[in-house]
Amino acid sequence: MSAFIRTRREADILVVELAHPSGFPRLTRALLVELHQKFDEVAAMTGVRGAVLTGTAQCFAAGADLGEVAALTPLEALRFSRLGQSLMQKVERCAKPVIAAIRGHCLGGGLDLALACHLRVASMDALFRHPGASLGILTGWGGTARLPRLLGPGGRARVLEALTASSEISASEAYACGLVQRIVRPEEVIPIALELARKASSSNALSYRCL
């Protein structure tokens, strides 16, 4: 069992939990590789109809480890970017529903990962933010495409603010603009996500797909 990914079966749904001693999981290269492997397993597992992806009570995921990124050569940075992009595509294109169960912070690449999931459930205290602009960088894992597509033409101004001014989006605003499908108490996040995964897996319309 990985120190940074824990999995458990909840009947026909696989719960994939990101972990970190600080409570803020970082999407390091090693973790991205593990997630690739985990979602290959989700796709291949018989008896598993979907997955719930979650983090800690404090944070769904905090994006890339900037210390690791700063040490990359240009070629390594390109490979790291493509590794993250291909993971988001794998999650998004999974034939089984993947539900993001979000508690606390959802930041940067972690927000990109949540956006790649088919549906999102958030706790009342959840906060969404792309801090890259304040650091002089912009996400390279698809958030600039998925967020506008999700919010639609009416949300373009909010998308620009979120991506260029690093502004924070509360759970209530995320629900109002369609970023998340449910906001619930923190203890309800996983149970509701499991419920949505089962319902989505039974839908012939495949309405959970975000392709």
Side-chain angles (χ1 to χ4, degrees), residues 24-53:
F24 283 73
R26 295 282 183 180
L27 298 179
T28 62
R29 183 188 181 283
L31 184 54
L32 293 179
V33 169
E34 284 193 57
L35 282 172
H36 266 283
Q37 295 168 348
K38 194 58 60 182
F39 279 98
D40 285 339
E41 293 174 17
V42 168
M45 289 173 75
T46 58
V48 168
R49 298 168 58 193
V52 168
L53 179 60

Side-chain angles (χ1 to χ4, degrees), residues 84-102:
Q85 290 170 0
S86 62
L87 173 64
M88 307 307 161
Q89 290 172 351
K90 181 174 290 186
V91 172
E92 185 177 55
R93 296 173 182 175
C94 185
K96 301 174 182 179
V98 182
I99 313 300
I102 302 160

Side-chain angles (χ1 to χ4, degrees), residues 117-196:
C117 295
H118 304 130
L119 296 170
R120 287 153 293 281
V121 178
S123 62
M124 295 173 176
D125 64 348
L127 293 170
F128 302 84
R129 184 169 173 249
H130 252 304
S134 63
L135 301 171
I137 57 177
L138 195 62
T139 176
W141 289 346
T144 55
R146 291 188 180 94
L147 189 58
R149 186 174 65 194
L150 184 66
L151 300 190
R156 283 176 181 165
R158 192 65 185 93
V159 169
L160 284 172
E161 184 182 4
L163 293 176
T164 63
S166 301
S167 61
E168 203 167 65
I169 300 174
S170 67
S172 58
E173 184 182 0
Y175 177 74
C177 69
L179 175 56
V180 302
Q181 283 64 54
R182 302 277 187 88
I183 49 172
V184 297
R185 293 191 296 270
E187 65 272 17
E188 296 177 316
V189 170
I190 301 298
I192 295 298
L194 289 167
E195 177 187 332
L196 284 179

Side-chain angles (χ1 to χ4, degrees), residues 10-23:
E10 293 285 350
D12 52 357
I13 304 299
L14 187 70
V15 178
V16 180
E17 180 180 305
L18 307 181
H20 195 275
S22 70

